[in-house]
Amino acid sequence: MAERGCPLEAVPLPAEVRESLAELELELSEGDITQKGYEKKRAKLLARYAPLIQGADPSLQAESRLPGPAPSTAPALRPQKPRPSNTRDERFRSDVHTEAVQAALAKYRERKMPMPSKRRSALAPASAEAYTPPDLHADPPDVTTGLGQPRHAYRERPQPASGRGAPRAGSGSVLETAGGVPVNSRVSSKIQQLLNTLKRPKRPPLKEFFVDDFEELLEVQQPDPNQPKPEGSQMAVLKGEPLAASTAWPPSLLAALRQWGTTQPRAPCLTALDTAGKATCTLTYGKLWSRSLKLAYTLLNKLTSKNERLLKPGDRVALVFPNSDPVMFTVAFYGCLLAELVPVPIEVPLTRKDAGSQQIGFLLGSCGVALALTTDACQKGLPKAQTGEVATFKGWPPLTWLVIDGKHLTKPPKDWHPSAQDVGAGTAYIEYKTSKEGSTVGVAVSHASLLAQCQALTQACGYAEAETLTNVLDFKRDAGLWHGVLTSVMNRMHVVSVPYALMKVNPLSWIQKVCAYKARAALVKSRDMHWSLLAQRGQRDVSLSSLRMLIVADGANPWSISSCDAFLNVFQSRGLRPEVVCPCATSPEALTVAIRRPPDLGGPPPRRAVLSMGGLSHGVIRVDAEEKLSVLTVQDVGQVMPGASVCVVKVEGTPYLCKTDEVGEICVNSSTAAAAYYGLLGITKSVFETVPVTVAGAPVSDRPFTRTGLLGFIGPDDLVFVVGKLDGLMVVGARRHNADDIVATALAVEPMKFVYRGRIAVFSVTVLHDDRIVLVAEQRPDASEEDSFQWMSRVLQAIDSIHQVGVYCLALVPANTLPKAPLGGIHISETKQRFLEGVLHPCNVLMCPHTCVTNLPKPRQKQPEVGPASMIVGNLVAGKRIAQASGRELTHLEDSDQARKFLFLPDVLQWRAHTTPEHPLFLLLNAKGTVTSTATCVQLHKRAERVAAALTEKARLSAGAHVALVYPPGLELIAAFYGCLYCGCVPVTVRPPHPQNLATTLPTVKMIVEVSTSACVLTTQAIMRLLKSKEAAATVDVRTWPTILDTDDIPKKKLGSIFRPPSPDVLAYLDFSVSTTGILAGVKMSHAATSALCRSIKLQCELYPSRQIAICLDPYCGLGFALWCLCSVYSGHQSVLVPPPELESNVSLWLWAVSQYKARVTFCSYSVMEMCARGLGAQTAVLRTKGVNLSCVRTCMVVAEERPRIALTQSFSKLFRDLGLPARAVSTTFGCRVNVAICLQGTAGPDPTTVYVDTRALRHDRVRLVERGSPHSLPLTESGKILPGVKVIIAHTETKGPLGDSHLGEIWVSSPHNATGYYTVYGEEGLQADHFSARLSFGDTQTVWARTGFLGFLRRTELTDASGERHDALYVVGSLDETLELRGMRYHPIDIEASVIRAHRSVAECAVFTWTNLLVVVVELDGLEQDALDLVALVTNVVLEEHHLVVGVVVIVDPGVIPINSRGEKQRMHLRDGFLADQLDPIYVAYNM
């Protein structure tokens, strides 16, 4: 009671109250009462003493309670009130083990693990106070807290709208964390808990290591120098007693059947029971003989087609009989033997897709089965096809079904006798066996082995004629078949068969039948003993005194000892003698391996061994007396079978004999063993023809041995001990663990009211070249989320403590959802398959990769950097050129006169309005494809004049004032832009807020207006109303807007004079954009840079007044803005403008426009391309009928500031190839903040090239070119051609020295159209001077470069460009700001995301980021919410396998949660802040331990 807290200590409670409390504790621990009921009853008991323990919150007290009864009181109470001992599955019962687990858990009491969070409801959106103006004294403001670039409706995703610094209403305490981001305490405290649990050093200290350039060497587990090693002498082969030759055995099994069928026809052979326990039918030996004959005659003579017999001797026939019909099965089995056919007994398929049914189909197919025998009732219950025939099951060969009830069979003529030869090496029957991996094989047993097995069992068990045997096992295979169908007939025994269905209704039925029939032997599993223990309370009249042998068929399960002990304990008083309990060990390959015999049959006294689990995990036997925490108590499974020899060999490699104190695989040489795996020669040789050898390499016998798949050793008195099965063996690191032992430990974690006891599966999966343990259990429906999680974390701790092994994944699934094996239990291989395919659908998952995965490659340590000078010398010595490239020279390309004339865009527009007034420059389309407005040169000039007049007169702005243009994509935006230039103002284009999403999009508008110090906002009437609306007031302070002018109805006014800048370096416009890392950066573009940009694009794309180009881009920043607003005026070509939001209602608008206007050149963004690929992929035929033809396109360019998305561009090209899109047309561009257009494919020059690089080398900042399709290869395509006048060099990120060809470094650019700097109010460009005026530290130190912030490399190709020079390709790898520095290596998020998206079909999108060195993976689920947890393990696995990284947190969200900007780029930092501020409303958050 000490754990209850001090109030109880202080009050001496009366003895009877303390007793009642202890009983309550016991009930709670054993799951007989709910927590609520427990608290109610406890409060009632303590009500009289309430004043003495006031203020103690029962729920708080309950939390600190030790699970299970208080150790001091429980044992004393047990005798006073017998209670059902259903604490857990008795197969795995061991009080010693339970105590050990409790002791182990006590050590962990203090550790708290972060509980995963499941969705409850959408959280309330953030309040208005969340927004604070940015600090204007800093570098480009960081808006990572969600004041992201708002986006168009066409891909509008909710962005977390949290500001920086200000506490949010109702969010409790707000923590300031790295970077000053406010963090919701709930998420961050969980992350803190996670970090705390990870602080325990799990990994061995790192040894000295070297950095290999390319191979990331996985850490090899070094053997522990202190691990126990076997010290005994080499074992000798153990021989069983000889088969008694004197006994007059019948010459064959069929001879015995014939003898009993004709001489003792009335003798009972088999009694079948119904679910009420009544005998439905007793088959006599006479009936068995006559019916089997009848069946054999029918099979041989009546199944004909075209006068040919359907079956030949030796053909295989499937036996499909339910577990409740042993009579028909036995008739069918012997009928097949008489007809010289080979029976293949299988389970009855209940549905079209039973667990493992496909594998059974494979077995039937490989055995060449064409006929299936069944009963009338069973056939009626099988799933039917529409024709009324039995359905074809998944993976099954076509079968003919034959019903063998009496009326369907033909009586043979009097003189007919079967010519069955049932001796020798021919196959008698095939028994199916399912391997650990789930594949099903057929074990072929010969006639000679069958007979020898019956003789050996008769001798070992002392079976006598007319004895009664109660059989609870499956009679179709294994011991149930060998004892209950074969050996019994040989000895004219009477078998009472108890079906599984009856055991479920009445677990005592088999004991009642032993008592009623005075059975001498019974054949059970430990499960049956455990069930009868639970049910025996009221039964006083049963007696087991008639039993001389109680054969426990699964004695090979080391945990069966607890069932045997408990059963003996209870039933000794009812006549059960201790020596009667006879565990045995069986294997499908060797049949019965060993069986314990009663003393009257010459058996030695039984033995048991208490073994150290630590020793067993190293394959060594150590008897452990003092260390109670991790021991395994095993009982012997008796002696070797008569006529057999047994030895124990090493599990892997050459079958050397083990030492006497070493665990190995038991091998048998005996005439009773099976012959082969049917039709599988390769594995047959390795299993059935093993030749054990001594250390010297000498074979121990001239006859081959059969491997049994049982792990064990030979103990004292030549008794066989089994400690596990090869199928349940999991080798983690260098140690071996047995699945059954792990299950036993899990079941010993009390209280067991969270999961079902018999429904736990443990298996291993291979992740990163090692086995990882997975534990799956069925959760009880009444278990709460928190309770289950507590139970899971305690199971992890118990297994860690007792087995010194980490569990990789622990999953709880809803009740009754795990695939069942035919006779109850769990179908392990099917469960494993579902886990790996992501269709297990768990309701709770706990992953522990941090503790389990200890073989990750060593973290890379930065080597001392080679200096820039040495690098240049090294490149020269290696014959590599410096990575530098440039576009065509501008001076050669055009008349410098014209360049001077076109220096200022306002001048160009005036000149065009004067010389070609009616030449159309712009066409704007709406969703229906109709032209809503156009602008000729003169129209645009006049509109611009009107805007300029309004700015000078209405807003009274002077030259140099900043004006925010808040317009939807259209011609008003272009007119307003030129209007600003006409009066000398500096325009700033801003995306308008989204009316349906003001809360997240309006703060960004406000922020840009403030950061750019705009003195006026130009917009439309509709947007002006929106900016001043009540809804807007809820998000921002509408009183602080500068002057807002709407340009819808401004009067026609001619401008007195158009402003002419004093020099080309004067600021022309500001370009603001939010980077993917959440930085809001405005760059300054001078008049000179603006005209240089237009000139380069004009030359690259060959743009002339006669050309038409189609643009489907956002016109607010970067190259999109330049193409939409600037280029047409400069080059005079006509731009067909397609606003991306219009694609929401008409996806095909852009492609239709390209086709309609026969555009040779078109520009789009990735989001537009993705919309078309997704929305139109299946509709190309419809588009063709509408006349869409894309053969006019010379080049279609995706405007982007990222690594080219090859998969998307290639799928787009393939999809629209049918519409005439040329295969080589699609290409990408590359620009960034410092220079919006560095590369652009243009119309001339070689096609873009693609190379394949090694992803592992990229992590080390190296480029290693590999062949296409090689492992770890990543395709990179060049980002278009370098523009005229642009020079590019690759510089080292740290030393700033130039790098050689094909070396990864930062891309630096020098060009007349570089931006002139970041815009900040107080001119603190110094902070970023480095970005715009960088110089190399070595080599050409004079040129001024701008740093793009992108990693990439230059590679000289074999192609030639227009000037005849060899072409230099620029490959962009990714943004430096976005890279994740983990384990000393550099990862690009896009690579991890690509792996995650491939992991499961339900992953719609994915984004990754790091938080306090934890990798967080956010996954959008495109499926049902209840399937969300399937993704956790798959995501963790794939990132481990492909990137050698451990995922810290997996967040599963709805589709559309990951914010994406107008260019189609993921805003990972917004996402991070939304996650930390708890605004994502995730479906599930898993914190990996």
Side-chain angles (χ1 to χ4, degrees):
M1 304 278 23
E3 264 68 24
R4 276 272 161 228
C6 58
L8 287 182
E9 289 286 308
V11 189
L13 292 171
E16 66 273 12
V17 174
R18 298 214 330 249
E19 249 171 55
S20 306
L21 279 174
E23 281 201 16
L24 261 186
E25 292 268 6
L26 194 57
E27 283 184 6
L28 179 67
S29 72
E30 296 187 342
D32 296 346
I33 185 172
T34 63
Q35 179 75 33
K36 206 169 175 183
Y38 162 82
E39 278 162 17
K40 218 171 178 178
K41 284 190 176 176
R42 184 170 176 277
K44 210 170 179 182
L45 277 173
L46 296 174
R48 269 175 282 173
Y49 315 97
L52 307 167
I53 53 166
Q54 73 233 330
D57 176 357
S59 63
L60 289 176
Q61 292 174 1
E63 232 173 90
S64 62
R65 179 170 40 80
L66 252 175
S72 54
T73 56
L77 281 162
R78 282 241 164 93
Q80 295 172 14
K81 181 184 171 196
R83 304 183 36 75
S85 78
N86 61 346
T87 352
R88 69 174 184 280
D89 190 335
E90 288 299 328
R91 281 182 303 165
F92 299 103
R93 172 84 200 195
S94 152
D95 289 326
V96 176
H97 196 62
T98 306
E99 283 168 37
V101 169
Q102 294 306 333
L105 286 174
K107 294 195 302 196
Y108 283 97
R109 191 73 43 197
E110 293 313 305
R111 269 183 62 206
K112 288 281 278 179
M113 291 191 179
M115 188 178 150
S117 51
K118 257 189 194 165
R119 162 174 297 166
R120 299 215 159 48
S121 65
L123 283 126
S127 64
E129 289 86 52
Y131 171 65
T132 45
D135 175 9
L136 302 176
H137 296 267
D139 49 326
D142 177 349
V143 290
T144 47
T145 44
L147 301 169
Q149 205 172 4
R151 288 155 313 134
H152 280 313
Y154 71 92
R155 187 122 185 228
E156 197 59 58
R157 295 183 167 196
Q159 290 186 9
S162 62
R164 197 181 252 191
R168 183 170 300 100
S171 74
S173 64
V174 172
L175 306 179
E176 286 282 332
T177 54
V181 181
V183 174
N184 170 287
S185 49
R186 183 153 78 102
V187 176
S188 63
S189 60
K190 284 189 176 170
I191 291 181
Q192 201 47 57
Q193 275 180 28
L194 178 54
L195 290 172
N196 293 344
T197 58
L198 299 181
K199 276 180 189 157
R200 292 164 57 239
K202 245 311 177 190
R203 310 191 47 184
L206 290 172
K207 291 160 271 328
E208 279 302 303
F209 67 91
F210 59 94
V211 172
D212 185 322
D213 264 15
F214 304 120
E215 291 307 321
E216 292 178 308
L217 296 172
L218 290 183
E219 176 124 355
V220 178
Q221 290 263 292
Q222 299 302 322
D224 177 3
N226 305 320
Q227 77 180 47
K229 294 187 173 56
E231 294 154 4
S233 56
Q234 183 173 295
M235 72 161 297
V237 175
L238 182 61
K239 289 188 163 36
E241 63 189 60
L243 263 176
S246 59
T247 318
W249 300 114
S252 77
L253 191 56
L254 291 180
L257 174 62
R258 179 183 217 150
Q259 180 191 339
W260 305 132
T262 49
T263 62
Q264 302 272 354
R266 295 266 171 96
C269 167
L270 183 64
T271 298
L273 307 172
D274 62 12
T275 47
K278 289 200 172 70
T280 49
C281 150
T282 295
L283 182 71
T284 60
Y285 277 92
K287 277 271 169 56
L288 174 58
W289 172 243
S290 62
R291 285 195 195 174
S292 304
L293 268 182
K294 212 168 167 186
L295 176 60
Y297 178 74
T298 307
L299 288 171
L300 290 176
N301 298 294
K302 294 296 166 190
L303 297 180
T304 56
S305 61
K306 298 183 193 156
N307 303 328
E308 277 184 27
R309 274 172 52 184
L310 191 65
L311 297 165
K312 299 182 288 303
D315 278 359
R316 275 75 53 208
V317 175
L319 269 47
V320 186
F321 292 89
N323 199 260
S324 54
D325 200 344
V327 170
M328 293 306 265
F329 173 82
T330 309
V331 168
F333 194 93
Y334 283 104
C336 286
L337 293 185
L338 283 168
E340 292 185 278
L341 301 172
V342 178
V344 185
I346 59 168
E347 304 305 334
V348 177
L350 300 174
T351 62
R352 302 274 314 250
K353 291 180 183 172
D354 271 2
S357 157
Q358 201 165 352
Q359 290 295 336
I360 293 285
F362 172 74
L363 169 74
L364 297 178
S366 62
C367 291
V369 172
L371 177 72
L373 307 185
T374 187
T375 62
D376 204 16
C378 180
Q379 201 245 14
K380 283 186 176 131
L382 290 172
K384 301 289 190 295
Q386 272 147 351
T387 53
E389 298 287 308
V390 175
T392 307
F393 299 99
K394 195 177 173 194
W396 284 37
L399 293 179
T400 306
W401 292 82
L402 177 68
V403 173
I404 64 157
D405 297 52
K407 57 179 183 281
H408 298 279
L409 303 182
T410 314
K411 202 171 177 188
K414 283 261 175 17
D415 55 348
W416 184 83
H417 293 293
S419 57
Q421 302 293 314
D422 67 333
V423 285
T427 302
Y429 75 96
I430 293 172
E431 179 173 316
Y432 80 85
K433 171 205 165 170
T434 304
S435 77
K436 184 178 176 180
E437 270 64 54
S439 54
T440 299
V441 292
V443 179
V445 180
S446 69
H447 287 288
S449 296
L450 184 65
L451 184 63
Q453 175 72 8
C454 293
Q455 292 169 350
L457 283 176
T458 302
Q459 184 171 329
C461 301
Y463 285 139
E465 266 187 53
E467 266 193 327
T468 305
L469 164 78
T470 306
N471 177 21
V472 190
L473 303 189
D474 180 5
F475 50 76
K476 297 192 283 295
R477 54 196 296 240
D478 212 78
L481 174 68
W482 310 328
H483 289 262
V485 175
L486 307 176
T487 310
S488 60
V489 167
M490 184 163 158
N491 293 299
R492 193 173 69 77
M493 290 162 65
H494 176 201
V495 177
V496 179
S497 190
V498 181
Y500 176 62
L502 170 57
M503 282 295 290
K504 276 167 77 175
V505 179
N506 175 11
L508 273 181
S509 51
W510 71 272
I511 296 178
Q512 292 161 351
K513 296 306 161 201
V514 167
C515 194
Y517 287 93
K518 299 282 179 285
R520 303 280 289 132
L523 189 58
V524 297
K525 278 191 167 174
S526 48
R527 177 189 66 195
D528 309 320
M529 296 160 78
H530 165 57
W531 282 3
S532 49
L533 274 179
L534 297 184
Q536 55 83 25
R537 299 285 170 238
Q539 297 282 335
R540 292 274 169 269
D541 51 348
V542 292
S543 159
L544 294 176
S545 54
S546 64
L547 277 184
R548 62 176 187 78
M549 271 191 104
L550 173 59
I551 301 166
V552 184
D554 61 346
N557 177 344
W559 295 92
S560 63
I561 182 170
S562 41
S563 287
C564 295
D565 288 354
F567 189 78
L568 190 59
N569 243 345
V570 170
F571 285 97
Q572 207 164 343
S573 60
R574 313 208 186 154
L576 182 68
R577 301 187 303 284
E579 64 273 15
V580 165
V581 179
C582 298
C584 74
T586 63
S587 119
E589 293 83 2
L591 282 65
T592 308
V593 177
I595 188 164
R596 192 191 288 174
R597 304 176 205 178
D600 55 340
L601 290 174
R607 299 268 190 159
R608 55 183 58 197
V610 181
L611 306 176
S612 147
M613 279 195 183
L616 286 176
S617 73
H618 293 291
V620 178
I621 297 151
R622 290 286 176 267
V623 175
D624 201 323
E626 64 287 341
E627 172 60 64
K628 259 193 155 181
L629 263 188
S630 50
V631 292
L632 177 67
T633 307
V634 287
Q635 62 183 350
D636 69 275
V637 287
Q639 295 162 291
V640 180
M641 292 292 285
S645 304
V646 162
C647 66
V648 180
V649 301
K650 302 242 186 235
V651 176
E652 281 151 6
T654 313
Y656 288 112
L657 284 181
C658 286
K659 294 182 175 171
T660 49
D661 62 343
E662 193 175 359
V663 174
E665 185 174 5
I666 298 172
C667 292
V668 176
N669 162 244
S670 161
S671 56
T672 66
Y677 290 132
Y678 190 88
L680 301 169
L681 300 176
I683 53 172
T684 291
K685 197 163 181 57
S686 63
V687 171
F688 292 89
E689 295 166 32
T690 296
V691 180
V693 292
T694 60
V695 178
V700 298
S701 160
D702 52 352
R703 292 175 59 197
F705 278 66
T706 299
R707 287 179 177 266
T708 61
L710 300 174
L711 300 172
F713 59 95
I714 307 298
D717 294 341
D718 289 346
L719 291 170
V720 179
F721 285 83
V722 177
V723 295
K725 290 195 168 97
L726 209 52
D727 270 0
L729 187 70
M730 302 176 291
V731 183
V732 181
R735 295 172 56 211
R736 303 192 286 205
H737 302 277
N738 205 292
D740 284 335
D741 301 349
I742 306 274
V743 169
T745 302
L747 286 173
V749 178
E750 313 276 81
M752 279 297 307
K753 56 182 185 195
F754 310 127
V755 298
Y756 288 99
R757 299 177 175 89
R759 318 263 318 133
I760 292 187
V762 170
F763 50 87
S764 63
V765 294
T766 305
V767 180
L768 208 63
H769 313 294
D770 202 355
D771 274 9
R772 315 284 175 199
I773 296 176
V774 178
L775 193 154
V776 183
E778 283 190 1
Q779 179 177 333
R780 290 182 177 275
D782 51 349
S784 78
E785 205 67 19
E786 198 132 339
D787 289 346
S788 302
F789 178 73
Q790 288 307 327
W791 181 79
M792 289 162 88
S793 42
R794 295 164 62 76
V795 166
L796 293 178
Q797 292 159 358
I799 292 170
D800 188 47
S801 205
I802 285 178
H803 303 275
Q804 281 89 51
V805 67
V807 174
Y808 178 68
C809 177
L810 205 162
L812 297 185
V813 298
N816 283 320
T817 55
L818 284 180
K820 292 185 176 65
L823 292 182
I826 290 176
H827 201 293
I828 304 280
S829 55
E830 182 83 9
T831 305
K832 175 176 173 176
Q833 196 55 37
R834 289 187 188 180
F835 173 79
L836 289 172
E837 287 173 3
V839 289
L840 193 61
H841 309 327
C843 51
N844 252 318
V845 167
L846 193 52
M847 299 283 299
C848 301
H850 293 279
T851 43
C852 297
V853 182
T854 53
N855 65 332
L856 280 171
K858 293 148 182 161
R860 173 181 171 220
Q861 289 182 344
K862 292 273 194 229
Q863 301 301 302
E865 286 295 356
V866 183
S870 326
M871 213 163 245
I872 285 200
V873 173
N875 280 323
L876 290 173
V877 171
K880 282 197 170 168
R881 59 184 205 94
I882 293 298
Q884 189 167 356
S886 53
R888 294 177 289 171
E889 289 290 329
L890 281 172
T891 44
H892 303 317
L893 291 173
E894 63 173 18
D895 166 25
S896 53
D897 232 24
Q898 189 194 9
R900 271 200 301 280
K901 186 170 34 173
F902 279 28
L903 211 70
F904 299 105
L905 277 178
D907 296 357
V908 181
L909 180 55
Q910 286 177 76
W911 174 76
R912 289 205 185 280
H914 185 64
T915 53
T916 55
E918 297 310 317
H919 176 68
L921 286 178
F922 298 102
L923 274 158
L924 181 73
L925 300 180
N926 66 7
K928 293 186 174 132
T930 39
V931 178
T932 52
S933 55
T934 58
T936 60
C937 300
V938 71
Q939 282 171 336
L940 182 60
H941 168 65
K942 283 184 176 161
R943 283 195 206 174
E945 279 193 321
R946 261 189 259 167
V947 172
L951 282 172
T952 47
E953 290 168 22
K954 273 195 186 169
R956 308 186 178 244
L957 296 186
S958 52
H962 295 183
V963 179
L965 313 181
V966 187
Y967 287 96
L971 299 185
E972 298 100 323
L973 175 69
I974 303 170
F977 176 80
Y978 286 102
C980 289
L981 296 188
Y982 273 13
C983 67
C985 292
V986 178
V988 185
T989 47
V990 186
R991 175 197 312 278
H994 194 281
Q996 270 84 52
N997 198 2
L998 275 184
T1000 53
T1001 55
L1002 189 59
T1004 310
V1005 177
K1006 187 85 165 73
M1007 192 167 198
I1008 295 175
V1009 169
E1010 285 180 1
V1011 173
S1012 64
T1013 61
S1014 296
C1016 171
V1017 176
L1018 286 184
T1019 184
T1020 64
Q1021 268 174 8
I1023 293 173
M1024 182 167 150
R1025 279 199 296 274
L1026 188 62
L1027 295 181
K1028 293 182 172 178
S1029 66
K1030 237 194 233 142
E1031 292 82 3
T1035 309
V1036 300
D1037 184 355
V1038 293
R1039 292 166 303 182
T1040 56
W1041 287 115
T1043 314
I1044 303 180
L1045 283 185
D1046 81 82
T1047 53
D1048 288 359
D1049 306 315
I1050 41 177
K1052 293 184 181 176
K1053 274 217 171 154
K1054 205 168 163 51
L1055 201 59
S1057 66
I1058 286 173
F1059 175 81
R1060 184 169 176 99
S1063 110
D1065 299 327
V1066 167
L1067 188 57
Y1069 69 95
L1070 290 178
D1071 182 332
F1072 272 89
S1073 130
V1074 180
S1075 73
T1076 50
T1077 50
I1079 303 285
L1080 174 65
V1083 292
K1084 300 186 285 193
M1085 287 293 284
S1086 67
H1087 282 278
T1090 307
S1091 58
L1093 170 66
C1094 294
R1095 184 160 83 244
S1096 284
I1097 294 172
K1098 173 190 173 183
L1099 295 168
Q1100 192 82 332
C1101 299
E1102 299 174 2
L1103 300 175
Y1104 308 111
S1106 55
R1107 284 277 153 83
Q1108 271 188 326
I1109 71 167
I1111 300 168
C1112 188
L1113 288 169
D1114 272 329
Y1116 301 108
C1117 61
L1119 187 54
F1121 165 75
L1123 290 165
W1124 188 283
C1125 292
L1126 311 177
C1127 292
S1128 273
V1129 170
Y1130 186 91
S1131 311
H1133 61 272
Q1134 186 180 358
S1135 294
V1136 179
L1137 306 176
V1138 181
E1142 302 290 352
L1143 268 67
E1144 276 283 88
S1145 41
N1146 177 7
V1147 193
S1148 59
L1149 175 65
W1150 167 54
L1151 296 180
W1152 176 86
V1154 169
S1155 160
Q1156 190 70 17
Y1157 291 94
K1158 305 229 173 343
R1160 286 181 47 163
V1161 177
T1162 180
F1163 293 89
C1164 71
S1165 64
Y1166 277 126
S1167 29
V1168 166
M1169 191 166 266
E1170 203 167 4
M1171 283 179 81
C1172 292
R1174 279 190 181 167
L1176 300 172
Q1179 298 178 27
T1180 46
V1182 180
L1183 291 174
R1184 206 179 306 114
T1185 56
K1186 288 185 179 168
V1188 175
N1189 180 356
L1190 304 178
S1191 54
C1192 55
V1193 178
R1194 278 277 294 279
T1195 179
C1196 164
M1197 286 171 272
V1198 189
V1199 172
E1201 297 184 10
E1202 59 176 306
R1203 177 199 300 176
R1205 299 190 204 170
I1206 298 191
L1208 178 56
T1209 53
Q1210 285 180 346
S1211 66
F1212 180 84
S1213 294
K1214 278 184 192 149
L1215 282 173
F1216 298 106
R1217 196 169 47 197
D1218 296 354
L1219 297 180
L1221 182 70
R1224 296 151 50 171
V1226 179
S1227 63
T1228 58
T1229 71
F1230 172 59
C1232 60
R1233 290 282 71 205
V1234 297
N1235 185 322
V1236 297
I1238 298 169
C1239 299
L1240 227 158
Q1241 184 58 34
T1243 45
D1247 286 337
T1249 54
T1250 299
V1251 292
Y1252 291 84
V1253 297
D1254 188 323
T1255 47
R1256 293 166 308 173
L1258 271 189
R1259 291 172 206 157
H1260 294 274
D1261 282 350
R1262 296 190 183 89
V1263 174
R1264 179 190 180 202
L1265 298 176
V1266 292
E1267 291 299 313
R1268 177 181 181 177
S1270 60
H1272 311 289
S1273 63
L1274 171 75
L1276 291 175
T1277 190
E1278 68 175 293
S1279 300
K1281 301 289 161 288
I1282 297 172
L1283 281 164
V1286 175
K1287 284 200 296 194
V1288 167
I1289 194 163
I1290 305 297
H1292 193 283
T1293 49
E1294 279 156 27
T1295 66
K1296 299 184 183 165
L1299 292 174
D1301 191 89
S1302 297
H1303 276 58
L1304 189 70
E1306 188 181 3
I1307 302 168
W1308 287 15
V1309 60
S1310 165
S1311 111
H1313 63 259
N1314 277 6
T1316 48
Y1318 284 121
Y1319 174 75
T1320 44
V1321 178
Y1322 295 105
E1324 284 190 38
E1325 286 92 350
L1327 291 171
Q1328 262 69 40
D1330 191 17
H1331 283 197
F1332 289 92
S1333 53
R1335 293 175 196 267
L1336 290 173
S1337 60
F1338 193 82
D1340 168 15
T1341 55
Q1342 294 311 303
T1343 310
V1344 176
W1345 302 89
R1347 299 177 57 175
T1348 62
F1350 278 83
L1351 284 173
F1353 60 96
L1354 277 164
R1355 180 170 167 270
R1356 180 150 280 185
T1357 64
E1358 298 302 312
L1359 307 168
T1360 52
D1361 55 28
S1363 59
E1365 298 287 319
R1366 276 181 60 195
H1367 166 63
D1368 292 311
L1370 175 66
Y1371 298 93
V1372 177
V1373 174
S1375 159
L1376 257 169
D1377 287 346
E1378 288 223 317
T1379 55
L1380 313 173
E1381 289 268 345
L1382 292 163
R1383 300 175 50 74
M1385 289 173 281
R1386 198 195 298 277
Y1387 288 86
H1388 294 272
I1390 186 171
D1391 298 328
I1392 300 174
E1393 288 157 3
S1395 300
V1396 172
I1397 287 169
R1398 283 198 308 273
H1400 193 274
R1401 61 178 182 279
S1402 298
V1403 179
E1405 187 55 274
C1406 162
V1408 302
F1409 53 82
T1410 52
W1411 179 252
T1412 53
N1413 281 342
L1414 288 178
L1415 179 64
V1416 181
V1417 179
V1418 180
V1419 174
E1420 288 185 356
L1421 171 75
D1422 181 15
L1424 301 171
E1425 274 190 20
Q1426 56 263 39
D1427 305 348
L1429 277 74
D1430 284 318
L1431 305 181
V1432 177
L1434 296 185
V1435 166
T1436 308
N1437 290 0
V1438 78
V1439 176
L1440 253 175
E1441 284 278 8
E1442 297 187 11
H1443 303 279
H1444 299 173
L1445 288 177
V1446 177
V1447 176
V1449 186
V1450 181
V1451 187
I1452 297 165
V1453 296
D1454 296 310
V1457 167
I1458 295 172
I1460 288 194
N1461 68 14
S1462 60
R1463 293 188 296 275
E1465 297 162 345
K1466 293 171 196 166
Q1467 305 287 80
R1468 296 183 183 89
M1469 289 308 110
H1470 289 318
L1471 185 67
R1472 186 188 78 170
D1473 299 315
F1475 167 64
L1476 293 171
D1478 217 8
Q1479 294 167 329
L1480 299 185
D1481 184 22
I1483 297 168
Y1484 192 81
V1485 182
Y1487 300 93
N1488 286 348
M1489 296 295 135

